[in-house]
């Protein structure tokens, strides 16, 4: 079970972590040392959610325990705005962060445009030898390392244990079972079974993986979102709604989903480790033991959930690159990752962190680590993030009935090929 920590204890623990962190990143660009001491300001754009940001701000500001002449300027940027806002800042060089918390799908894009500073050689070696291989892969572009993995995640089925028990059902393992379970919950409680988030492409991925498909095949440079498996995935999304197994909304999906789940208006939702802290804040989960997590229900072919997460990267135009790289090394240190797992149920990217007692004791970490090991790794191509916008549009249309599954798949394929010029 996740345990809290007092603010003073948090800062003290992280001060020790900062002291243990190397002060010299080994990067010879943008040196901010004066007399062997790091100086200057490191501006960090953090994209964590409302339930996480206070903890991350305390962690970040504790960096000054080792480097008292470095000021950490913490800026929380809403995740949905961060990719485009960062591109604009990096392009203009105005108000750009020294360090950004980037979704794993953004790194190759930023690197391909020359926005990111290459990770120092010694740190890159650590990434290759001390981090989960699938996490390390997300920070690379054309054989070079441009980001250090901070957290890794995937999706699972969150469920209200009491609501399922009252209905006499167990967590569903397939989409067909989900419909049966939802019907039982509706009959017993009058509440909906599942909230299906219909306004975010990431939530479409388990559906297409479940039908044996994928968005693209990077090896053959082929768009696959509109093949037979893709059409089945769009059909599966719509069927969950028309069958009554799920409710959805075309807008404000995160807020509506979390509100419905925390208040007991729905018994289940599909979400990731980043939602645990916020879910615990709901009336239904004052007793944290009432929150259950299971694998995402399988489609007609298999079960599959995407690999996600966030990496930390340094802006190539930063005037404080040495301090910025040292900050990244600190923020991805084992001590900090263990603290984040303990306080926020987030999954570490360092292999050795999983051997630490505070990580082993985390119920949500115990579930999500095996799930991450089975998660489907996406194609780490520069266009990865750009594909999600047209996919979101068509996914929403299919879920809400604004377009047929066939038309949604076809339209997504057309837009993908416009982005991926020359792909089949």
């Amino acid at each position: 079970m996740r345990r809290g920590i007092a603010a003073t204890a948090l800062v003290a623990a992280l001060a020790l972590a900062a002291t243990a962190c190397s002060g010299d990143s080994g990067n010879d660009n943008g040196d901010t040392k004066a007399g062997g001491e790091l100086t200057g300001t490191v501006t960090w754009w953090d994209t964590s959610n409302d339930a996480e940001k206070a903890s991350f701000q305390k962690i970040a500001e504790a960096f000054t325990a080792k480097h008292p002449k470095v000021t950490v300027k913490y800026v929380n940027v809403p995740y949905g705005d961060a990719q485009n806002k960062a591109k604009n800042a990096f392009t203009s060089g105005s108000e750009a962060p020294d360090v950004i918390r980037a979704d794993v799908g953004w790194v190759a894009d930023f690197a391909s445009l020359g926005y990111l500073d290459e990770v120092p050689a010694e740190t890159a070696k650590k990434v290759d030898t001390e981090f989960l291989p699938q996490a390390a892969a997300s920070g690379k572009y054309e054989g070079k390392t441009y980001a250090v993995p901070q957290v890794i995640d995937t999706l699972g089925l969150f469920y209200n244990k009491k609501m399922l028990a009252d209905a006499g059902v167990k967590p569903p393992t397939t989409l067909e079972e989900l419909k049966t379970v939802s019907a039982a919950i509706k009959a017993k409680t009058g509440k909906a079974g599942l909230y299906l988030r219909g306004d975010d492409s990431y939530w479409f991925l388990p559906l297409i993986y479940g039908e044996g498909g994928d968005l693209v095949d990077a090896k053959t440079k082929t768009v696959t979102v509109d093949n037979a498996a893709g059409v089945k995935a769009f059909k599966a999304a719509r069927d969950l709604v028309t069958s009554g197994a799920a409710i959805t909304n075309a807008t404000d999906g995160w807020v509506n989903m979390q509100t419905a789940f925390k208040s007991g208006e729905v018994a289940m939702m599909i979400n990731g480790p980043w939602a645990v802290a916020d879910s615990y804040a709901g009336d239904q989960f004052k007793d944290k033991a009432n929150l259950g997590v299971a694998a995402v229900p399988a489609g007609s072919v298999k079960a599959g959930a995407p690999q996600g997460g966030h990496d930390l990267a340094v802006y190539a135009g930063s005037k404080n690159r040495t301090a910025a790289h040292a900050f990244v090394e600190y923020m991805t240190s084992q001590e900090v990752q263990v603290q984040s797992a303990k306080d926020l149920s987030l999954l570490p990217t360092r292999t050795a962190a999983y051997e630490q007692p505070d990580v082993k004791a985390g119920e949500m970490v115990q579930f999500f680590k095996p799930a991450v090991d089975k998660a489907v790794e996406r194609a780490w191509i520069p266009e990865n993030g750009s594909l999600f916008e047209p996919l979101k549009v068509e996914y929403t249309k299919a879920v809400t009935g604004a377009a047929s599954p066939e038309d949604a798949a076809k339209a997504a394929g057309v837009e993908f090929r416009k982005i991926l010029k020359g792909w089949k």
Side-chain angles (χ1 to χ4, degrees):
M1 186 62 64
R2 187 174 68 98
R3 297 190 299 275
I5 184 170
T8 53
L10 172 68
V11 172
L14 293 171
L16 290 174
T19 303
C21 179
S22 170
D24 186 357
S25 69
N27 185 27
D28 59 2
N29 294 320
D31 195 351
T32 58
K33 290 182 184 178
E37 193 171 11
L38 291 175
T39 64
T41 298
V42 173
T43 299
W44 178 40
W45 280 14
D46 174 33
T47 58
S48 63
N49 61 36
D50 288 343
E52 300 169 339
K53 63 184 183 182
S55 180
F56 275 129
Q57 183 172 1
K58 288 186 178 74
I59 291 171
E61 291 173 351
F63 177 69
T64 58
K66 172 66 176 175
H67 304 290
K69 292 188 178 181
V70 175
T71 299
V72 175
K73 182 180 178 182
Y74 175 88
V75 181
N76 186 265
V77 181
Y79 173 83
D81 303 331
Q83 185 178 15
N84 288 333
K85 188 173 181 179
K87 281 186 173 182
N88 291 336
F90 291 155
T91 300
S92 66
S94 175
E95 303 297 323
D98 299 290
V99 178
I100 184 168
R101 183 182 195 249
D103 182 278
V104 291
W106 305 346
V107 175
D109 182 24
F110 288 166
S112 72
L113 296 170
Y115 293 149
L116 303 184
D117 197 33
E118 190 176 345
V119 170
E122 189 163 336
T123 303
K125 289 179 183 177
K126 293 178 183 178
V127 171
D128 289 339
T129 58
E130 300 177 10
F131 288 70
L132 299 173
Q134 66 270 44
S138 68
K140 296 181 182 296
Y141 176 67
E142 293 188 341
K144 297 180 179 180
T145 303
Y146 288 94
V148 182
Q150 182 198 25
V151 295
I152 190 169
D153 59 55
T154 189
L155 291 169
L157 180 73
F158 285 49
Y159 63 95
N160 186 315
K161 291 181 181 178
K162 185 178 185 303
M163 289 181 72
L164 266 65
D166 287 348
V169 293
K170 295 180 179 180
T173 60
T174 67
L175 294 184
E176 284 302 311
E177 285 183 12
L178 176 59
K179 291 190 283 187
T180 302
V181 168
S182 291
I185 291 169
K186 182 75 171 179
K188 179 66 177 181
T189 68
K191 306 297 185 181
L194 176 78
Y195 191 104
L196 178 65
R197 189 170 184 191
D199 69 334
D200 192 298
S201 305
Y202 195 63
W203 273 254
F204 175 74
L205 296 181
L207 296 169
I208 195 166
Y209 297 155
E211 299 304 326
D214 205 338
L215 302 183
V216 299
D217 183 338
K219 290 182 180 179
T220 62
K221 293 190 174 181
T222 303
V223 172
T224 55
V225 69
D226 54 356
N227 65 13
V231 173
K232 286 182 179 179
F234 283 107
K235 285 182 177 178
R238 181 59 182 158
D239 180 58
L240 287 173
V241 177
T242 57
S243 68
I247 59 172
T248 192
N249 195 303
T251 58
D252 295 326
W254 171 261
V255 174
N256 287 324
M257 176 174 62
Q258 287 296 111
T259 300
F261 184 65
K262 290 189 294 183
S263 66
E265 288 302 308
V266 298
M268 298 173 285
M269 68 173 180
I270 294 172
N271 224 322
W274 59 86
V276 172
D278 185 59
S279 297
Y280 281 151
D283 290 341
Q284 291 290 307
F285 305 104
K286 289 180 179 178
D287 176 5
K288 295 176 181 179
N290 192 40
L291 178 62
V293 182
V296 174
S300 65
V301 176
K302 63 178 183 178
Q307 178 199 325
H310 291 85
D311 298 343
L312 298 185
V314 173
Y315 171 43
S318 168
K319 296 179 181 179
N320 299 296
R321 278 175 284 173
T322 299
H325 281 293
F327 176 76
V328 168
E329 188 169 350
Y330 158 70
M331 288 297 295
T332 57
S333 67
Q334 179 168 300
E335 292 86 353
V336 168
Q337 292 197 7
V338 169
Q339 195 70 50
S340 298
K342 178 180 176 181
D343 294 346
L344 301 171
S345 296
L346 298 179
L347 272 69
T349 53
R350 284 182 174 268
T351 307
Y354 288 94
E355 299 303 316
Q356 300 305 305
D358 283 334
V359 177
K360 284 185 174 182
E363 182 181 355
M364 293 300 157
V365 174
Q366 290 172 15
F367 168 77
F368 274 109
K369 175 55 166 61
V372 159
D373 289 340
K374 298 177 183 177
V376 179
E377 193 171 334
R378 286 177 279 166
W380 304 122
I381 56 176
E383 299 86 357
N384 203 330
S386 300
L387 299 177
F388 269 37
E389 183 57 34
L391 180 60
K392 179 182 76 172
V393 171
E394 300 308 325
Y395 174 48
T396 301
K397 287 180 180 178
V399 168
T400 59
S404 70
E406 292 83 1
D407 287 345
K410 182 178 180 181
V414 169
E415 294 303 314
F416 276 28
R417 290 180 181 87
K418 288 180 182 177
I419 295 168
L420 298 165
K421 295 179 176 63
W423 284 43
K424 295 181 284 184

